Amino acid sequence: MAGTARYAPPKPKQHWMRRPFFKFGLPFMLTVIGGSFWLRDFAQLRYTFRTKRTVTKEEMEKMIGMPMSGKKMDPHEELKV
């Protein structure tokens, strides 16, 4: 009886990690499914900000409380001493 080894069942973690599904398939499936949820939320931003409208010149004057001049600013004239 000295040469016979007793059978010991594998530990649960070791048994699962030897299976290819748990090593490769499950992480792949989680990445695909999780990525689709992340992509859906990320794409929703595009439609959320599409409905934002721009502020017109009259609305900007009303918000800041002063009229905006219609002439273009020339940096050369502004820096003349």
Side-chain angles (χ1 to χ4, degrees), residues 51-67:
T51 59
K52 304 286 184 196
R53 62 185 183 88
T54 58
V55 178
T56 62
K57 185 177 177 183
E58 291 82 21
E59 290 173 341
M60 181 61 79
E61 289 175 353
K62 190 186 294 183
M63 286 192 316
I64 62 173
M66 55 191 286

Side-chain angles (χ1 to χ4, degrees), residues 16-36:
W16 286 5
M17 291 307 292
R18 278 192 280 167
R19 299 276 183 176
F21 173 75
F22 291 108
K23 200 169 189 178
F24 302 109
L26 189 62
F28 177 73
M29 288 174 51
L30 290 175
T31 302
V32 169
I33 294 170
S36 69

